[in-house]
Amino acid sequence: MASMSNALIRSWDFTHFSPLVAGIFHTVARLGGLGHVAVKFGKAFRLKFTVISTSLKKESEAINKFGADSFLVSSNPAQLKGITRAEVLPAKTNLFFTLPFSKQIQYSDPVQDLIVLIPITEHNKEGNMALAFDEFGRPFIILKEQEHKTRLRGLDAQKANISAGKAVARILRTSLGPKGMDKMLQSPDGDVTITNDGATILEQMDVDNQIAKLMVELSRSQDYEIGDGTTGVVVMAGALLEQAEKLLERGIHPIRIAEGYEMASRISFEHLERIAHKFEFEATNIEPLIQTCMTTLSSKIVNRCKRSLAEIAVKAVLAVADLERKDVNLDLVKVEGKVGGKLEDTELIYGIVVDKDMSHPQMPKQIEDAKIAILTCPFEPPKPKTKHKVDIDTVDKFQTLRQQEQQYFDDMVQKCKDVGATLVICQWGFDDEANHLLMHRNLPAVRWVGGVELELIAIATGGRIVPRFQELTPEKLGRAGLVREKSFGTTKDRMIYIEHCANSRAVTIFIRGGNKMIIEETKRSVHDALCVARNLIRNKSIVYGGGSAEISCSLAAEAAADKYPGVEQYAIRAFADALDAIPMALAENSGLQPIETLSAVKSQQIKENNPFCGIDCNDVGTNDMCEQNVFESLIGKQQQILLATQVVKMILKIDDVIAPSEY
Amino acid sequence: MAVDKLFKDEATEEKGERARMASFIGAMAIADLVKTTLGPKGMDKILQSTGRGHSVTVTNDGATILKSLHIDNPAAKVLVDISKVQDDEVGDGTTSVVVLAGELLREAEKLVNSKIHPMTIISGYRMAAEAARNALLEKVVDNKQDAEKFNADLIKIAMTTLSSKILSQDKEHFAKLAVDAVMRLKGSTNLESIQIIKKPGGSLKDSFLDEGFILDKKIGVGQPKRIENAKILVANTAMDTDKVKIYGARVRVDSMAKVAEIEGAEKEKMREKVQKIINHGINCFVNRQLIYNFPEELFADSGVLAIEHADFDGIERLALVTGGEIASTFDNPESVKLGHCKLIEEIMIGEDKLIHFSGVQMGQACTIVLRGASPHMLDEAERSLHDALCVLSQTVNDSRVLLGGGWPEMVMAKAVDELARRTPGKRSHAIEAFSRALAAIPTTIADNAGLDSAELIAQLRAEHQKEESSAGIDVISGLVGNMAELGISESFKVKQAVLLSATEAAEMILRVDEIITCAPRQREDRM
């Protein structure tokens, strides 16, 4: 009983905040038990009350004894007509009911004299109250706790948002750098992913908080745009938020902070361009590119063979790159993985690998100088899209139909043969008969090849995808120097290699590794490396890694800050401090003393006027990233700063969070 | 103000020490689970399925045990995964790889507790793994050139693999059987062409390798039970009613007479088809799909042996053995390759009649008939034999061979220890730990055999300080023995795979400092 009273008292506590509109009935009642307490409280707050009960007998008691304003009998629909709506949330079903009032009564009918009628006010119309029944079947009101309210305003909103953003950044912080740790993520289906790729972690994290979702978006857009630095951008945003919080506490208006950040990011952006190096490579000298990819790969679990993977990635990108237009279509690089073997067995194949086998076990396993027919029509009798029926009513018809069918299969295979194809790759399945005919005519075939793969094969072999047998012509065939089937391991695992293609512009990176998770992680790492190589081909500028660029920018921002009059100055300094967070995290993750190391490197940069000094994560012995060959692409770094600033600005500008309430 | 809710409802997050502890404990629990099955005196496990019938499996194959477990711990899943890959890739060492990974993590836990950073441990482990692999590479024996010696090696490897299994009583017999079967493959790793038929009854000793091919089917009634110089057509075609495949076709008749006519036409068509098949000049017809009574009768009339419903693998294998092709159309009899064999006859194994094809052209495929007291035993025997076959087929390709009985681990441990002494810095602790983890494998073998492991390992280590030692644990006598003399060998490829994937898995788990578990997807049928 005490708890029920509490609930009730809380309910008044709550409604009393709201601007009460005269004329709306605020009520509770269950006379004799708890209801009268409510009525008395209500009267004390000068609310108007209606008591609803199933029994007429209680009328006088309600009005005279407890001072209710009116009395309604729930069994009389006419009386209830005036009250249009009541909202009650049955706690047990977790459903939000908005019922016509009369139905509401029915709902609680089994409990003899009901009731609770909650008035609709500004605040509780979102459904912050709930009607529940205690163990004796008595109803009482549950109010959502104050802090669970879904609305936050003013400074509170900003602080809550900032702390959410920081929480996300904190998770990723330890993954930064060559000595960063991995995260283990278990999906709703129980699959395990182990990764330290920021974008992947955030995507699989199942985040619910609105601001956290913004951070996830941030990392994703860095991934789409650049493909690398997804962790860095989030850590950076987290640091910016942290600094902003301090400024907010000092009473600086969020918009001013945002503006200051904007200026600082412009300063850094330009400064990066100044310290960037043009970076020369040609198709013959790919060493610099490989070095850059190695920087990217060194933070992943595959850093054991980063050299060979970097080479593979660079060669793959160069194979598909259009150096004149400075464009790289990464769709042409297929990354395929197969469990088993060692990471060292990973190879680059100038061609396509398809995870399929020949449709008939006795077809030849190796075809040289293959002419490939790429089909998207099944080797089956046609299925017209219009509805039709073929009626068989005589023996003749039965036999002709049968012959036609055979003729049809024959024709299909013959057509492929006629145009000179020596291999058929088909998106659909084959009928047994067709399969044997193909085999019989010595025409190897692969079935159920996916659409994307089919396109790649078409690009690689210079063939055309043919949707109908009738359209098959010799010019539409693709050409490949060698097609072979290769088997792996002890199980019946086979793959088809299509190599020496007419157009070597499509390549496959074929990854081997000890287990599924390693393969998945390698795929992601290779993807990052590919993106980095692509970015360098698009824009040849590089900056040095190991936090050196951030430290240099931080110094530049710090120096520039004094020139700005006004409060923004503080924000620019804060921005400089936030930039330090990245080298700091790098040092921390590498097991170095973060503050000592950072200050040493910083003073070295100023003393030697050398913007290439960074954190020596791998304990090589020099701080000069130029010597260590640790590069990052300029656009990647610029993008990081821009994106992080943008998101932080957005978060700072929010001063009111209204989220739909959930139950 | 703390953010009290970042994740969705039931998602959980474990951080730092707790995350590491959760994964270490999960991984070690899995390792301890299979630990007792390691070695020749390892024990078996009974697995009862939760499915209908609660079927029971008795096994000591690591991969089989782990595959059947429902595991929630993500780190444990990593271990299950490596064991599965080991099974797919080399077929044996599925227990060792998990035990080694578990030991590596156990050692790592101690190091982490003494405040060594996981990344330092990883770099130490990597160096150690490299050193260990090199040590093995130095000691391998490759007898590829000498066929006789190589054959002896294979038999030794097979015996070593089988000695930890249910077949250990008859390991000589089965080792020979497995080696014969694998040698027939001529270097291919496709174990599909070795067929294993299980027939309850008799004893394990009665199992045999048949050079021909045995099809677990019956010969149709009234057809010849014995054919010499058989010409075989292997087919995959419908022998019931041949459906019209043109879309939308249907039969519409208006009188009973018409029905009869169409039925007649159908029959006629089937008769034609059968005739076409017979025109190939065959005396045996094997089809993947059902053969109905009517065509069967036709075949019987013309003295052709018709076998129906051989499963797809059987058909493929049969085509492989007899050299025929799998046919689905029969219009060009002259160009269809027929299979040949000297003799087809019905034989009895136990109570069952089987069809035996002997004197086949292509000697690649063969059949192993396993006999044994109960289906459980046969299942386990099949798994054991499969392990042996896998290892052998891998060894045929990569003929490097090592000694067994804990010898490779001791060789590796020694090399790793030396490396530790040479390495400056904190990494040397990790390297030392790696060597301890390696030594845990012979320790476990000894423990499982009920021997005094501490004493034995110490002796073994001393023994290995001598140059060119070939000492290992002789589980039978319970002493340190000479593995070369005892003829206990293992395949290099298996050992290497164990070493590399265990290190890789340990590394992966060590790198984790946070576990985020999403709420399990709600499944309605699970209530």
Side-chain angles (χ1 to χ4, degrees):
Chain A
M1 185 61 90
S3 68
M4 288 192 292
S5 308
N6 279 340
L8 276 167
I9 289 163
R10 260 207 313 271
S11 85
W12 297 117
D13 188 36
F14 173 62
T15 30
H16 131 160
F17 280 82
S18 62
L20 294 172
V21 186
I24 291 184
F25 291 107
H26 297 260
T27 33
V28 175
R30 182 181 182 277
L31 286 182
L34 187 59
H36 77 274
V37 183
V39 178
K40 280 190 163 178
F41 263 104
K43 286 318 283 181
F45 288 119
R46 295 190 201 150
L47 300 176
K48 260 186 145 186
F49 258 90
T50 300
V51 170
I52 306 168
S53 179
T54 44
S55 149
L56 253 176
K57 282 178 240 159
K58 297 207 172 155
E59 182 173 16
S60 65
E61 200 185 354
I63 293 178
N64 301 333
K65 210 167 164 188
F66 299 117
D69 296 286
S70 51
F71 185 86
L72 299 176
V73 183
S74 57
S75 51
N76 184 349
Q79 279 195 359
L80 295 176
K81 238 181 175 174
I83 302 161
T84 48
R85 281 180 61 182
E87 294 189 4
V88 168
L89 219 126
K92 273 191 184 157
T93 55
N94 275 356
L95 284 171
F96 186 64
F97 276 85
T98 304
L99 299 171
F101 189 62
S102 52
K103 277 196 192 146
Q104 194 58 55
I105 299 298
Q106 269 171 14
Y107 168 77
S108 33
D109 242 353
V111 188
Q112 272 295 294
D113 47 328
L114 150 83
I115 355 194
V116 188
L117 170 59
I118 302 163
I120 303 164
T121 68
E122 174 71 17
H123 273 83
N124 65 9
K125 80 173 171 204
E126 295 289 339
N128 283 335
M129 290 183 184
L131 174 69
F133 297 93
D134 67 5
E135 63 267 44
F136 307 109
R138 282 175 300 219
F140 61 96
I141 302 173
I142 301 170
L143 253 188
K144 282 183 89 183
E145 293 292 331
Q146 201 81 352
E147 56 265 39
H148 277 232
K149 263 197 303 180
T150 51
R151 186 165 182 190
L152 278 170
R153 276 195 274 199
L155 210 55
D156 276 348
Q158 271 137 1
K159 285 203 175 155
N161 291 344
I162 286 173
S163 69
K166 268 163 58 189
V168 174
R170 207 178 49 228
I171 291 174
L172 289 193
R173 203 179 140 96
T174 52
S175 289
L176 196 71
K179 298 270 168 97
M181 305 293 278
D182 288 2
K183 309 282 172 235
M184 191 182 270
L185 302 150
Q186 196 168 16
S187 80
D189 296 322
D191 296 333
V192 177
T193 310
I194 298 182
T195 181
N196 76 357
D197 180 52
T200 315
I201 298 173
L202 289 176
E203 219 150 279
Q204 304 214 349
M205 222 160 62
D206 209 3
V207 165
D208 200 31
N209 185 293
Q210 307 306 313
I211 301 301
K213 276 185 191 158
L214 273 181
M215 301 291 265
V216 174
E217 285 293 323
L218 167 69
S219 157
R220 195 176 298 156
S221 57
Q222 174 84 10
D223 193 27
Y224 286 161
E225 195 61 33
I226 306 296
D228 186 31
T230 50
T231 314
V233 69
V234 174
V235 173
M236 172 101 200
L240 285 173
L241 286 173
E242 201 171 332
Q243 294 297 333
E245 195 178 16
K246 286 185 194 149
L247 295 179
L248 281 175
E249 267 164 21
R250 293 164 77 174
I252 297 177
H253 192 274
I255 296 296
R256 304 295 289 270
I257 303 176
E259 273 165 18
Y261 276 3
E262 179 67 41
M263 289 173 195
S265 84
R266 228 171 14 239
I267 297 167
S268 314
F269 191 86
E270 282 156 15
H271 182 73
L272 278 176
E273 241 155 51
R274 269 199 302 282
I275 62 167
H277 272 196
K278 271 285 172 220
F279 154 93
E280 291 310 320
F281 67 89
E282 278 133 47
T284 46
N285 176 24
I286 54 172
E287 190 55 30
L289 275 178
I290 295 177
Q291 293 288 348
T292 321
C293 288
M294 276 166 68
T295 310
T296 307
L297 290 174
S298 63
S299 65
K300 313 283 177 186
I301 194 165
V302 295
N303 57 10
R304 180 154 50 95
C305 40
K306 61 180 172 185
R307 172 84 209 179
S308 59
L309 282 180
E311 273 173 24
I312 287 173
V314 171
K315 281 184 192 153
V317 170
L318 283 177
V320 301
D322 185 343
L323 287 176
E324 269 162 36
R325 262 189 327 117
K326 293 193 172 178
D327 193 27
V328 183
N329 184 0
L330 281 189
D331 290 343
L332 297 181
V333 181
K334 187 170 175 244
V335 182
E336 184 77 44
K338 192 104 199 158
V339 177
K342 308 190 283 288
L343 211 49
E344 282 83 357
D345 298 339
T346 301
E347 54 182 338
L348 175 70
I349 293 154
Y350 289 95
I352 308 290
V353 177
V354 192
D355 194 357
K356 291 277 176 294
D357 51 9
M358 295 289 180
S359 63
H360 196 287
Q362 287 168 324
M363 285 178 179
K365 307 282 183 226
Q366 184 159 342
I367 307 149
E368 277 164 32
D369 287 325
K371 289 183 191 131
I372 306 169
I374 305 161
L375 299 171
T376 52
C377 45
F379 268 93
E380 271 163 23
K383 283 185 184 171
K385 295 208 173 61
T386 42
K387 268 203 167 170
H388 72 290
K389 286 202 175 79
V390 184
D391 282 346
I392 304 169
D393 48 11
T394 62
V395 175
D396 276 354
K397 274 192 186 168
F398 183 75
Q399 275 162 353
T400 29
L401 203 62
R402 167 80 198 148
Q403 270 158 17
Q404 268 175 5
E405 185 190 295
Q406 269 180 352
Q407 191 59 38
Y408 191 82
F409 280 123
D410 222 41
D411 280 355
M412 280 191 297
V413 179
Q414 197 53 45
K415 262 183 195 124
C416 298
K417 200 75 192 166
D418 282 347
V419 294
T422 53
L423 174 68
V424 176
I425 290 180
C426 184
Q427 195 174 9
W428 302 100
F430 306 156
D431 192 90
D432 280 342
E433 274 189 61
N435 203 359
H436 179 248
L437 275 173
L438 283 168
M439 146 83 188
H440 200 85
R441 303 274 168 88
N442 201 10
L443 195 56
V446 186
R447 56 184 154 182
W448 299 120
V449 177
V452 183
E453 281 158 346
L454 212 63
E455 266 173 44
L456 276 177
I457 293 173
I459 293 171
T461 59
R464 292 268 293 278
I465 297 176
V466 181
R468 270 186 293 272
F469 288 100
Q470 289 79 8
E471 290 172 18
L472 210 54
T473 57
E475 303 84 63
K476 286 182 179 168
L477 296 182
R479 273 152 214 280
L482 180 66
V483 178
R484 64 199 163 100
E485 193 181 270
K486 200 174 166 187
S487 49
F488 298 95
T490 58
T491 44
K492 202 172 145 191
D493 248 351
R494 298 191 198 116
M495 288 186 120
I496 291 188
Y497 283 54
I498 303 172
E499 290 172 295
H500 308 303
C501 301
N503 172 8
S504 63
R505 299 292 299 277
V507 296
T508 305
I509 297 175
F510 187 55
I511 297 170
R512 308 298 312 274
N515 57 46
K516 205 170 68 213
M517 288 150 227
I518 282 268
I519 298 235
E520 287 301 311
E521 179 66 358
T522 313
K523 271 189 189 170
R524 282 188 287 269
S525 312
V526 167
H527 168 252
D528 282 7
L530 288 174
C531 290
V532 168
R534 176 194 60 181
N535 294 341
L536 281 175
I537 287 171
R538 280 196 189 153
N539 182 347
K540 288 187 181 175
S541 303
I542 51 153
V543 289
Y544 289 88
S548 65
E550 282 86 356
I551 298 175
S552 179
C553 284
S554 153
L555 288 171
E558 188 89 46
D562 298 335
K563 291 177 201 145
Y564 286 87
V567 190
E568 284 84 0
Q569 204 183 87
Y570 283 85
I572 296 174
R573 282 204 197 103
F575 190 91
D577 284 345
L579 279 171
D580 285 347
I582 289 196
M584 202 109 96
L586 276 178
E588 211 176 310
N589 291 345
S590 315
L592 303 168
Q593 291 289 339
I595 298 175
E596 275 172 36
T597 319
L598 178 63
S599 45
V601 173
K602 230 176 180 175
S603 73
Q604 197 185 352
Q605 276 214 8
I606 296 176
K607 231 185 285 166
E608 298 174 10
N609 196 18
N610 177 3
F612 310 135
C613 289
I615 308 288
D616 179 16
C617 299
N618 287 327
D619 212 18
V620 179
T622 170
N623 281 337
D624 194 332
M625 291 298 134
C626 203
E627 276 173 44
Q628 281 204 21
N629 281 326
V630 180
F631 313 122
E632 279 175 79
S633 63
L634 171 69
I635 35 176
K637 194 92 302 176
Q638 283 178 331
Q639 199 70 28
Q640 261 186 7
I641 291 181
L642 285 186
L643 283 175
T645 316
Q646 265 172 26
V647 166
V648 169
K649 266 170 65 187
M650 190 149 70
I651 295 176
L652 282 175
K653 278 187 180 165
I654 300 170
D655 74 338
D656 198 342
V657 183
I658 304 168
S661 65
E662 3 158 0
Y663 270 94
Chain B
M1 176 180 165
V3 186
D4 45 10
K5 210 160 153 252
L6 195 58
F7 299 108
K8 285 210 179 107
D9 285 338
E10 283 167 50
T12 54
E13 188 191 1
E14 300 272 4
K15 283 191 159 183
E17 283 302 300
R18 288 194 51 166
R20 211 167 283 132
M21 207 151 77
S23 44
F24 284 165
I25 288 174
M28 282 189 285
I30 290 292
D32 288 342
L33 184 82
V34 291
K35 209 172 172 179
T36 54
T37 64
L38 194 72
K41 298 273 160 126
M43 305 299 273
D44 289 3
K45 308 267 176 220
I46 286 187
L47 307 167
Q48 191 171 25
S49 85
T50 48
R52 196 175 297 160
H54 296 281
S55 64
V56 168
T57 314
V58 182
T59 182
N60 83 354
D61 179 45
T64 313
I65 298 172
L66 294 177
K67 242 185 277 178
S68 345
L69 294 175
H70 293 288
I71 292 170
D72 206 29
N73 186 301
K77 278 190 185 152
V78 175
L79 290 197
V80 173
D81 202 49
I82 55 168
S83 145
K84 209 160 72 198
V85 173
Q86 180 84 8
D87 193 26
D88 289 348
E89 197 57 15
V90 286
D92 192 27
T94 51
T95 313
S96 318
V97 70
V98 175
V99 172
L100 183 58
E103 287 304 325
L104 284 174
L105 288 172
R106 196 188 305 275
E107 292 296 335
E109 190 193 13
K110 287 182 204 153
L111 293 176
V112 169
N113 285 343
S114 56
K115 301 274 180 286
I116 292 179
H117 195 271
M119 285 296 163
T120 318
I121 303 177
I122 288 172
S123 74
Y125 274 9
R126 273 191 192 164
M127 287 169 70
E130 194 56 41
R133 187 165 163 255
N134 290 337
L136 283 188
L137 273 174
E138 266 174 35
K139 301 263 180 173
V140 289
V141 186
D142 191 344
N143 285 332
K144 184 114 195 168
Q145 307 308 325
D146 189 342
E148 209 166 288
K149 261 193 183 163
F150 184 53
N151 215 17
D153 275 350
L154 285 181
I155 291 199
K156 279 187 213 160
I157 291 177
M159 276 175 32
T160 313
T161 307
L162 291 172
S163 65
S164 62
K165 316 275 169 167
I166 200 166
L167 301 177
S168 62
Q169 290 310 312
D170 309 301
K171 60 181 174 191
E172 286 91 359
H173 181 62
F174 281 101
K176 215 171 143 342
L177 224 138
V179 171
D180 281 351
V182 168
M183 290 313 277
R184 296 175 74 89
L185 293 179
K186 300 192 181 76
S188 137
T189 55
N190 187 4
L191 294 179
E192 297 281 312
S193 33
I194 300 177
Q195 188 192 20
I196 298 180
I197 293 181
K198 296 173 284 185
K199 285 283 162 207
S203 77
L204 279 174
K205 258 224 157 68
D206 299 337
S207 309
F208 61 93
L209 173 88
D210 195 282
E211 301 201 347
F213 181 80
I214 293 177
L215 200 61
D216 195 355
K217 290 287 166 224
K218 287 194 183 64
I219 293 178
V221 181
Q223 292 166 348
K225 297 272 186 261
R226 183 188 159 91
I227 296 177
E228 279 179 45
N229 282 330
K231 291 190 194 103
I232 308 161
L233 179 67
V234 186
N236 174 16
T237 185
M239 291 302 276
D240 37 9
T241 48
D242 223 350
K243 284 178 212 81
V244 179
K245 284 167 191 153
I246 290 172
Y247 186 69
R250 61 170 187 180
V251 180
R252 179 172 239 169
V253 288
D254 42 18
S255 71
M256 281 306 287
K258 288 260 175 69
V259 178
E261 268 173 39
I262 294 212
E263 212 184 320
E266 244 176 31
K267 252 190 178 157
E268 195 51 45
K269 204 180 89 189
M270 187 48 75
R271 197 188 298 278
E272 266 172 38
K273 190 167 180 179
V274 171
Q275 198 51 50
K276 272 188 204 160
I277 292 170
I278 295 170
N279 284 347
H280 285 69
I282 54 165
N283 44 22
C284 175
F285 174 72
V286 185
N287 192 20
R288 187 171 83 85
Q289 299 174 24
L290 283 174
I291 303 178
Y292 271 30
N293 288 351
F294 176 62
E296 191 175 329
E297 196 186 308
L298 293 177
F299 281 122
D301 285 348
S302 42
V304 172
L305 172 60
I307 302 164
E308 64 164 10
H309 214 211
D311 55 280
F312 204 84
D313 284 345
I315 281 283
E316 251 183 60
R317 230 177 265 139
L318 191 62
L320 210 66
V321 178
T322 58
E325 67 177 34
I326 301 174
S328 294
T329 56
F330 309 99
D331 293 327
N332 307 301
E334 62 287 348
S335 62
V336 172
K337 265 194 279 171
L338 295 179
H340 292 279
C341 79
K342 291 247 166 58
L343 180 67
I344 301 176
E345 60 181 343
E346 198 174 54
I347 54 165
M348 299 273 287
I349 297 177
E351 287 297 297
D352 292 311
K353 287 181 188 162
L354 302 161
I355 304 169
H356 182 224
F357 298 75
S358 57
V360 291
Q361 276 184 333
M362 319 266 266
Q364 282 213 4
C366 56
T367 304
I368 295 175
V369 180
L370 285 178
R371 308 298 312 277
S374 74
H376 296 310
M377 193 154 163
L378 284 175
D379 284 345
E380 177 64 359
E382 187 192 359
R383 274 190 293 274
S384 315
L385 200 60
H386 176 255
D387 279 7
L389 290 174
C390 286
V391 174
L392 289 175
S393 69
Q394 294 296 329
T395 317
V396 170
N397 284 343
D398 182 347
S399 56
R400 287 172 289 184
V401 172
L402 297 164
L403 295 178
W407 178 85
E409 282 80 11
M410 292 317 289
V411 168
M412 288 191 275
K414 190 183 158 202
V416 171
D417 262 337
E418 271 162 24
L419 176 73
R421 260 177 255 143
R422 284 198 309 272
T423 311
K426 280 191 277 193
R427 270 181 299 193
S428 67
H429 293 288
I431 300 174
E432 248 178 278
F434 196 93
S435 127
R436 277 200 297 278
L438 282 172
I441 289 196
T443 313
T444 314
I445 295 180
D447 277 341
N448 286 348
L451 304 173
D452 182 356
S453 61
E455 172 67 24
L456 269 177
I457 298 303
Q459 279 184 23
L460 202 56
R461 184 166 300 166
E463 204 57 43
H464 269 267
Q465 288 307 316
K466 295 176 198 154
E467 284 301 307
E468 299 300 322
S469 163
S470 51
I473 297 177
D474 179 1
V475 185
I476 313 298
S477 67
L479 295 169
V480 169
N482 187 332
M483 291 295 122
E485 280 168 22
L486 288 169
I488 296 175
S489 295
E490 278 181 79
S491 153
F492 170 72
K493 197 162 178 193
V494 172
K495 272 289 150 208
Q496 173 181 275
V498 167
L499 179 72
L500 293 182
S501 41
T503 320
E504 218 162 64
E507 192 178 303
M508 205 145 82
I509 294 172
L510 265 174
R511 279 175 72 100
V512 171
D513 75 337
E514 182 155 342
I515 301 175
I516 297 166
T517 314
C518 295
R521 209 182 288 289
Q522 297 297 324
R523 287 199 184 83
E524 279 141 23
D525 54 352
R526 277 282 175 88
M527 291 308 286

